[in-house]
Structure formats: structure tokens, C-alpha cells
């Protein structure tokens, strides 16, 4: 390799390391600061993600545990305990599938819907603060690149 090729290769390695380290830091900060934003509601960031997934209009009737697991990119095993706590707290309801009795469906309960609605302003304030300085176009581009990164990593 030429010196220029070696320099580019080393620069690429350094940039990659920095990028993934920053991504790791951002994920940790999201967990820490997100938890602080939700403390008054007694909701963890993991519960926030489940409630958010189940609050989408297209899943008003609920979704299977497998669908939720795929949507959140978490294992069924990790989701099981979380769903148990949400059900215990009356925030979700589980039922069996209409077509397949083995299927477990999950949806927000009335209490869960009310909690999600009360979280709307604090969550949007958190998002606005975290994305301060990002234009609308920056946000769209960021979504594009995060999606591309996630897709590439899932194919490894």
C-alpha cells in the first residue's frame, strides 16, 4: 500500500471508531436523560418504547408479541418481563389471537392510553431539546442514515 492509501485507511478506521463510540454515547445519554424526563411518571425508557409502539394508530387493535419484538428489535425473552410489568401496572392488556389461539396479542389499556397521552408533552419537549439545532431537512437526513446503518448492521 502507498502511504496515501495507508493514511486513508487509518483515517477511515479512526472515523469509524469515533462514529460508533458517539452512537454508543448517544444511546447511553438517551437512556439516562430519557429516564430523567420520565421519572415523574414512573416509566422507564424501555416501557416508553413499548407504549410508543402500541400507541401508533395502525396498531390500535394491538399486535402480536412477535410483531412487537420485531418492531422494537428486541428478543421475545427481553420483552416478556417488560410486558409482565406493564400488564401488572394495568398499562397493557394481553389476549389470545382470534385466528390462532396460541398467538398472544398486546394492546394499550385505557390506563395505558391515558398515560401515553400524559407523556406526550414531556416526550415532545425532550425530542425538541435533543434535536435543537437540527433543521427539518437535517432530521429527515438523520432518519435516512440511521435507517441505513440499522439495516446494514442487521445484515451482518
Amino acid at each position: 500500500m502507498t502511504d496515501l492509501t495507508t493514511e486513508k485507511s487509518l483515517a477511515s478506521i479512526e472515523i469509524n471508531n469515533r462514529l460508533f463510540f458517539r452512537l454508543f454515547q448517544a444511546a447511553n445519554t438517551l437512556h439516562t436523560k430519557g429516564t430523567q424526563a420520565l421519572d415523574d411518571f414512573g416509566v422507564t425508557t424501555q416501557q416508553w418504547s413499548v407504549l410508543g409502539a402500541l400507541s401508533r394508530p395502525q396498531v390500535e387493535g394491538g399486535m402480536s408479541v412477535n410483531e412487537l419484538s420485531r418492531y422494537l428489535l428486541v428478543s421475545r425473552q427481553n420483552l416478556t418481563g417488560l410486558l409482565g410489568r406493564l400488564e401488572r401496572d394495568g398499562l397493557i392488556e394481553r389476549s389470545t389471537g382470534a385466528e390462532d389461539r396460541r398467538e398472544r396479542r398486546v394492546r394499550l389499556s385505557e390506563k395505558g392510553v391515558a398515560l401515553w397521552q400524559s407523556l406526550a408533552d414531556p416526550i415532545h419537549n425532550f425530542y425538541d431539546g435533543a434535536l435543537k439545532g437540527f433543521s427539518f431537512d437535517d432530521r429527515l437526513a438523520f432518519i435516512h442514515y440511521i435507517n441505513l446503518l440499522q439495516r446494514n448492521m442487521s445484515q451482518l
Side-chain angles (χ1 to χ4, degrees):
M1 272 198 270
T2 66
D3 287 341
L4 184 57
T5 304
T6 302
E7 281 182 36
K8 284 184 177 179
S9 179
L10 291 175
S12 179
I13 289 169
E14 176 60 27
I15 291 295
N16 290 347
N17 283 338
R18 191 176 304 172
L19 234 170
F20 277 87
F21 185 68
R22 293 291 186 239
L23 184 61
F24 176 75
Q25 287 177 315
N28 285 338
T29 303
L30 170 63
H31 179 72
T32 302
K33 295 297 184 175
T35 298
Q36 290 172 0
L38 301 172
D39 267 350
D40 292 341
F41 300 92
V43 175
T44 67
T45 52
Q46 293 84 5
Q47 291 170 329
W48 170 15
S49 67
V50 171
L51 296 173
L54 294 174
S55 71
R56 297 172 301 133
Q58 62 267 39
V59 296
E60 190 175 315
M63 57 195 309
S64 74
V65 174
N66 284 336
E67 290 169 332
L68 184 58
S69 172
R70 282 192 303 275
Y71 182 76
L72 295 174
L73 299 176
V74 297
S75 70
R76 263 186 79 107
Q77 292 82 358
N78 287 343
L79 197 53
T80 299
L82 183 55
L83 293 176
R85 288 185 293 281
L86 289 169
E87 185 176 36
R88 178 201 66 211
D89 294 341
L91 299 172
I92 65 164
E93 300 168 343
R94 291 196 235 198
S95 61
T96 55
E99 296 170 20
D100 182 351
R101 305 295 293 164
R102 295 171 296 175
E103 180 185 62
R104 299 292 289 165
R105 297 199 60 79
V106 183
R107 68 185 189 116
L108 288 180
S109 66
E110 285 184 33
K111 183 178 177 182
V113 170
L115 175 61
W116 184 253
Q117 290 170 347
S118 71
L119 290 171
D121 284 340
I123 288 172
H124 292 296
N125 291 338
F126 177 81
Y127 291 162
D128 285 342
L131 293 168
K132 186 171 77 176
F134 283 69
S135 70
F136 182 79
D137 288 342
D138 291 341
R139 293 171 195 212
L140 290 176
F142 193 57
I143 290 169
H144 166 76
Y145 289 118
I146 289 288
N147 285 341
L148 182 59
L149 176 64
Q150 191 281 317
R151 187 175 35 243
N152 288 344
M153 287 191 303
S154 71
Q155 292 174 356
L156 294 176

